[in-house]
Amino acid sequence: MTTREALPSISSLGMDSPIVQSWCERNGYSYLSGERGDIRISAVKSMDARFAYIDETSTVSDEIYELSIQGEPPLCEVRITFAGERGLRYALNAIGRMIKRGMWQDGTHYDYPRFPVRGIIEGFYGQPWSQEQRLKMLGFIARHNMNSYVYGPKDDIYHRERWQDLYDEEAYARLRNAFTETTALGLDFYYSIAPGLSMRYSSEADFAALIRKVEQIHKLGVTDFCLLLDDIPEELQHQEDKDAYSDLVEAHIRLVNRFYAEIMKWNDSIRLIVCPTQYWGKGDERYISQLGSRIHPSIDLFWTGRNICAPEITLSEAAVFTQSTHRKPLYWDNYPVNDVEMTDEMHIGPYRGRDRHLYRFSRGVIANGMEYAESSKIAYATIADYLWNPEKYDPEASWQGALEEIVGQANFADMLQFADNLRYSCLYLTDSPKLAAELTKFNFAYFYGDREQAIDHLEQFFEQMIEAGSRLSKGMENGDLHAELQRWLHKYAAGCALMQECVRYIRSQNPDELEQIRTKYELYRKDLTYVFADVLMSFMNKVLDQYFTNQ
């Protein structure tokens, strides 16, 4: 089988060769004309129902594909059957995964996604991604069979603070470039605008400014929009609005319906998503129920679940929202985002806590990222796996695959050791499972087994942790990821060294060493960077309380 270092060449026979050629160029494969490639692809478009309709979700889809594979590179024939362009793209992605994972599979493979909307939103507070990071991210999510990118950085001044103002030439060019790349990758580009902080809902001038601004974006060719009314006061602020509307939801119903009617005049294929002011909860509260029952049924509503950052999202919660708002929720999932009070955390653990049948009562998931673009890809890869087929999704297997892909084979084992101590998030309210297990075993062996052997074993474990961190700190194949993780690598190294000193004290029982550890621990705690969570703290408290004694 072809190695990871020597990718096979690919040739295309028949129709749709431009898509195959473009995919090859973007993914590092040599594209050859005729029948000269190691993998010879024939792409066949089918109007058969099985390539256009998904029974589980009762939806028409252009994302279904079938691969028929005979042989292995360099003598391999692949027949792709599809109905829509996305189906062809996902079939090519499947071929790429088989090649890079060394798991080439002869035979016929029929596949399709369960969630119709699968994507990400650049919607965090903090420094927006650079244009280079943004374009790389688009390629990444396209390779992982996502289909939507939502542009909405809170700190883009034209998005929220100066929503009335048209984009200047430079910023407008960046948006054009991002939209062009998104379209070339077969993704949907959603432009978001957030006027709620200052908009006077009763003002004709403000409404005209909103339409003028969105029309500027529409002229790029954009037909998908988000109207964000989140993170604003829950009551009307302007006297003229209080005079015109009974409450905030009445103003929002009027704004949303009028906005939708206006933009639909430009193009009847336009789509709109609204983020309501109340975007989390049980799903049957007055505001969201009233809004959902009175806005146009074709408008999607963003929803985060029972919490802003939801530990879990269940099928029953989605059903309540659907019944109350007369539409399925489109989840704005606040993971892996780490803005506001979460800035000391690094969210690179796997996606979890979402019902395996959620697709039956949901439009899909749009995941909010961190300002750390490269680090966000780790969680995004697992989210993509879940969204494609949640019933077969394995969080740990997906996570290890994501780490290997993004970190690189040379750093994979060390990264796995390090990243296990950065799992804490709204999805995983503890941390360091491997470390916790080792400390539990040590505690038992120290008091009920061979004490010296227990100390030796724990010391070796900490040495392995330190060595892994040291190698990562010196550099990674992925330089961008290495730069983003510096703060957490430093805290990890300090914590490992501290725990290693604790083991030495447990062995020696020297009171001077204990006082040195106490001083270092106080300094360690001043750095709020979140690594190890309560696992290290629990162990340190036992050591400092002289729990491990020779008596």
Side-chain angles (χ1 to χ4, degrees):
M1 180 55 209
T2 308
T3 66
R4 295 169 186 265
E5 292 76 17
L7 295 177
S9 59
I10 293 175
S11 58
S12 177
L13 308 176
M15 63 179 296
D16 292 295
S17 59
I19 292 175
V20 178
Q21 183 172 357
S22 173
W23 181 89
C24 288
E25 291 169 353
R26 289 177 179 275
N27 290 278
Y29 295 89
S30 299
Y31 179 80
L32 304 176
S33 59
E35 301 183 15
R36 296 183 296 152
D38 298 325
I39 300 175
R40 291 172 286 282
I41 294 175
S42 59
V44 179
K45 202 164 188 175
S46 172
M47 300 306 293
D48 192 278
R50 66 192 293 265
F51 292 104
Y53 187 78
I54 300 174
D55 289 328
E56 288 100 318
T57 55
S58 302
T59 55
V60 174
S61 175
D62 65 349
E63 300 186 308
I64 306 167
Y65 70 86
E66 183 176 82
L67 286 175
S68 296
I69 300 174
Q70 293 183 343
E72 288 192 3
L75 296 171
C76 180
E77 302 283 345
V78 178
R79 177 185 172 93
I80 300 175
T81 308
F82 65 100
E85 180 183 306
R86 281 183 175 162
L88 175 58
R89 291 180 183 275
Y90 300 157
L92 293 168
N93 287 343
I95 292 170
R97 284 192 298 273
M98 283 190 278
I99 292 169
K100 292 184 178 180
R101 295 175 183 176
M103 299 173 61
W104 195 257
Q105 296 176 320
D106 253 358
T108 301
H109 313 277
Y110 176 77
D111 208 358
Y112 51 88
R114 275 49 173 189
F115 285 93
V117 181
R118 309 176 307 283
I120 68 169
I121 179 168
E122 187 181 345
F124 48 83
Y125 290 93
Q127 180 65 38
W129 294 333
S130 69
Q131 187 73 342
E132 181 183 6
Q133 289 173 323
R134 186 172 295 122
L135 297 182
K136 286 182 178 179
M137 183 66 79
L138 293 173
F140 179 83
I141 66 172
R143 288 194 301 274
H144 285 266
N145 292 1
M146 286 187 171
N147 60 19
S148 301
Y149 165 74
V150 181
Y151 177 86
K154 291 290 195 292
D155 288 355
D156 170 0
I157 59 171
Y158 291 107
H159 161 74
R160 185 173 170 87
E161 182 182 342
R162 291 170 52 190
W163 62 268
Q164 307 101 320
D165 297 342
L166 298 179
Y167 280 89
D168 63 27
E169 186 175 339
E170 181 180 354
Y172 194 57
R174 285 197 299 270
L175 277 177
R176 179 189 295 109
N177 186 219
F179 170 68
T180 300
E181 179 69 0
T182 306
T183 304
L185 289 164
L187 301 168
D188 292 330
F189 178 94
Y190 283 84
Y191 173 78
S192 299
I193 189 166
L197 280 177
S198 60
M199 186 177 191
R200 295 165 298 164
Y201 303 111
S202 56
S203 166
E204 289 298 319
D206 278 8
F207 184 77
L210 177 64
I211 296 300
R212 182 172 62 252
K213 176 67 164 287
V214 174
E215 188 172 21
Q216 182 192 29
I217 308 303
H218 175 63
K219 288 177 179 178
L220 294 174
V222 177
T223 57
D224 299 323
F225 298 95
C226 299
L227 181 62
L228 307 187
L229 303 170
D230 57 318
D231 297 348
I232 62 174
E234 296 181 1
E235 296 179 355
L236 294 168
Q237 300 297 299
H238 304 287
Q239 186 58 51
E240 55 266 47
D241 288 342
K242 295 177 183 179
D243 294 339
Y245 304 106
S246 60
D247 57 14
L248 185 70
V249 70
E250 183 184 349
H252 284 177
I253 291 166
R254 168 67 172 159
L255 171 65
V256 169
N257 282 332
R258 189 180 180 195
F259 178 75
Y260 184 64
E262 194 67 29
I263 63 177
M264 286 298 290
K265 294 176 183 177
W266 305 335
N267 189 321
D268 60 10
S269 66
I270 279 177
R271 292 178 294 187
L272 176 65
I273 305 171
V274 170
C275 185
T277 301
Q278 188 225 326
Y279 54 82
W280 65 276
K282 293 187 295 182
D284 60 357
E285 294 86 354
R286 176 180 173 272
Y287 173 98
I288 195 64
S289 299
Q290 203 165 336
L291 182 72
S293 63
R294 292 176 58 189
I295 62 174
H296 195 282
S298 296
I299 299 171
D300 275 318
L301 282 175
F302 273 136
W303 190 246
T304 66
R306 287 295 295 266
N307 309 87
I308 297 174
C309 300
E312 64 176 5
I313 299 176
T314 68
L315 191 63
S316 59
E317 292 169 1
V320 169
F321 182 95
T322 301
Q323 185 176 28
S324 300
T325 65
H326 307 284
R327 69 203 72 221
K328 294 178 179 180
L330 175 56
Y331 286 100
W332 171 319
D333 205 338
N334 277 317
Y335 187 77
V337 66
N338 67 341
D339 58 5
V340 196
E341 70 272 16
M342 299 180 289
T343 53
D344 296 319
E345 303 167 15
M346 172 55 76
H347 295 161
I348 57 174
Y351 198 50
R352 60 174 70 244
R354 277 64 184 135
D355 197 298
R356 61 198 294 264
H357 295 291
L358 189 63
Y359 67 92
R360 299 181 187 275
F361 271 107
S362 168
R363 290 273 295 128
V365 172
I366 302 291
N368 194 9
M370 300 183 283
E371 66 176 89
Y372 304 100
E374 204 64 26
S375 300
S376 295
K377 291 177 182 178
I378 298 171
Y380 278 158
T382 70
I383 292 170
D385 286 348
Y386 167 83
L387 293 175
W388 184 265
N389 192 340
E391 294 186 44
K392 292 184 178 180
Y393 174 66
D394 180 335
E396 292 302 311
S398 176
W399 186 55
Q400 291 197 24
L403 287 174
E404 184 174 5
E405 174 191 354
I406 294 156
V407 178
Q409 184 62 38
N411 303 123
F412 170 63
D414 291 335
M415 185 66 181
L416 193 59
Q417 178 94 52
F418 165 68
D420 198 59
N421 302 285
L422 271 73
R423 287 177 177 258
Y424 181 85
S425 71
C426 65
L427 306 187
Y428 200 87
L429 298 178
T430 181
D431 213 339
S432 308
K434 291 179 182 177
L435 174 60
E438 287 295 328
L439 292 175
T440 299
K441 287 193 294 184
F442 169 74
N443 189 77
F444 181 85
Y446 186 84
F447 291 106
Y448 304 108
D450 186 323
R451 182 167 291 185
E452 285 301 316
Q453 188 178 47
I455 294 173
D456 289 344
H457 182 83
L458 188 59
E459 192 168 45
Q460 291 169 10
F461 182 78
F462 287 150
E463 285 175 359
Q464 291 170 2
M465 291 181 67
I466 288 172
E467 289 169 1
S470 177
R471 287 189 291 267
L472 291 176
S473 294
K474 290 175 182 176
M476 298 183 191
E477 288 183 44
N478 188 331
D480 293 335
L481 182 66
H482 183 252
E484 291 178 358
L485 291 176
Q486 282 301 301
R487 178 183 171 192
W488 288 268
L489 283 166
H490 177 77
K491 186 67 178 285
Y492 170 86
C496 289
L498 195 56
M499 288 186 286
Q500 191 177 49
E501 289 191 38
C502 287
V503 176
R504 291 172 186 155
Y505 160 72
I506 293 170
R507 190 191 297 279
S508 71
Q509 298 292 307
N510 184 332
D512 292 337
E513 290 182 16
L514 184 62
E515 289 310 306
Q516 291 175 9
I517 290 170
R518 194 183 305 277
T519 300
K520 290 180 179 179
Y521 184 47
E522 290 175 0
L523 182 63
Y524 175 85
R525 293 179 66 182
K526 289 180 180 179
D527 179 358
L528 299 180
T529 306
Y530 214 70
V531 185
F532 301 115
D534 294 341
V535 176
L536 179 142
M537 182 177 69
S538 176
F539 177 64
M540 293 300 304
N541 288 342
K542 286 182 178 180
V543 172
L544 295 173
D545 290 343
Q546 301 181 58
Y547 177 77
F548 301 104
T549 68
N550 287 329
Q551 298 177 357

